[in-house]
Amino acid sequence: MARITVDGIPLEVEDGAMLLEALDDAGVLMRDVTIPHYCWHPKLSIDGSCRLCQVEIEGAPKLQIACNTPVEDGMVVHTENERVAAARAGVTEMLLVNHPLDCPICDQAGECKLQDYAFEYGALQSRTREPRRALAKNVDVGPTIVLDQERCILCRRCVRFCREVPGTGELVVRGRGDRSVIDTFPDEPLDNPYSMNVADLCPVGALTTKDFRFKIRVWFLEDVPGICTGCARGCNVYLGVADNKVQRYQPRRNDAVNDTWICDAGRLSYKEIGAADRLSTAMLRGDLGVLEVVGFRDALQAAADRLTRVRQARGASRIGVVASPHATNEDLFVLRRFCDALGVETAGVAVVRGDADDLLLHAEKAANAAGARAMGFEDAAAVCEKLRRGALDALLVAGHDLLDAAYLGGVDGLGDLDTVVWLDTHVSDLQRVADVVLPTRVAAERTGTYTNATGHVQRVTPAVEPAFDARAEGAVIAALGQALHLDGFEVGFDARETSRALSEGVPLFRGRSFDAVGDAGLPLEEEA
Ligand code: SF4
Ligand code: SF4
Ligand code: FES
């Protein structure tokens, strides 16, 4: 370790680490110590090209760039003196020579580093007499991203990202000197599963996503921390919310889970929250054999009556349960208790599998398969096998993953059942065979925790309210338990209370309650 002093603040940092990185790791960068920077990014290689991060180091004759200067024991750094201020002002003036201050119409206004730094370090008036460079403003570089070459300050973050993270290298710097522009090779567009991250890491408004471009000004958004539920990685995101609608996902840094990246598919999965195919009403199959809209309470009572009838006539062993890997740990904990109290012998979890890669994308397309397993729900194959043998009369199924080819591949296996109680967030073929339909909430509407594929327990808080009566799965199961007069189901569902009970009752989750895991999450307790 090295002891250094920055603006009079004594710090102990890793010996040999670059100064900017060391300050970032120490948690003081842009908080206690302000060093503006463009080209440096904590997860990319060092470029050293923007020259904005210059600082004075005692004993060094010239200013040094903080992103590429290793710390040494005893180093004394000044970031707020006249020399440094003059350097920042000079670099900012030079960058503004050719960058149009498009702020009123630029999509990045409000979260643009150039806007911030121009305000902080820029001159009031331009001294240039020559006209600005005129470059292409709407370059279609690929299916997800638009480039404004005029706004680019050539920090090369996007170029390094494509080379170093997905390894696809689509973006390049073309031309030299003041003719340099970011571009793609002809017929080789920016098109990889992580392409939209370049819009987040572009410090100015040069790269924007086609999806979010001109949708809403960013200062109308509230950024709610949450997780992407598109796969078992559980990447950390900010949900940008306005008008009770999630307008976008942006990555949230969590070095233990997703560094600072998310995949394009996950990023766009926010659209499922307010999708037209959300299951929005409780339903009951009536005498005519069609589903009819009913109140939630009536549907719950009908589900309880039908399950009671099966249990009394044939025994609880004839009731199967399929848990959802999209549910929270708290939901699954309640469902586990429900199965035990009811005497259910056949319960499992159905998880759709798909593409995976070496970066983030996990084959399991659900956020909480690991949580379901930790709660004792093994693969739903055993449930399916019993269904096929006709050994079940009733099924309580949460989520539609059961219809994946790996399980039933369709609803045929369910047609002969006496009762199918279906809890879900989106419409699926299960609607054809369900007797009782109970709409549930998606993660963005929930309080609770999820366990990702590496055993990291993370939490979500409600970002939006559903426009219809959808309830947390745990709340539905708890109400069902109450209607069935099961032991331990005397009181309703409270996610934080349940989280506390889970962390006290299941050793793996010890100390992993909603309140304890915080926004960064915590790994599951090691098994003894
Ligand atoms: S497009 Fe953005 S990220 Fe890429 S070099 Fe230009 S300013 Fe940097
Ligand atoms: S890798 Fe998975 S969790 Fe991460 S953003 Fe993509 S789909 Fe979402
Ligand atoms: S951040 Fe150091 S030179 Fe760009």
Side-chain angles (χ1 to χ4, degrees), residues 8 53 93 142 144 167 170 196 235 238 330 374 438 450 457 487 516:
C53 66
E93 183 174 24
T144 59
E170 297 101 329
M196 293 163 92
C235 291
Y238 283 113
E330 291 72 26
L438 295 156
Y450 290 81
V457 183
D487 283 346

Side-chain angles (χ1 to χ4, degrees), residues 7 67 75 91 99 102 123 127 168 175 221 229 245 248 256 277 302 309 327 342 359 391 393 446 467 483 501 508 520:
D7 296 338
C67 64
M75 197 182 240
V91 171
H99 184 104
D102 275 348
R127 287 189 287 159
T168 43
L221 296 180
T229 54
K245 196 170 166 216
R248 70 172 178 186
D277 66 344
R309 208 178 59 211
L342 190 63
L359 198 51
D393 293 311
R446 306 289 316 274
L508 267 180

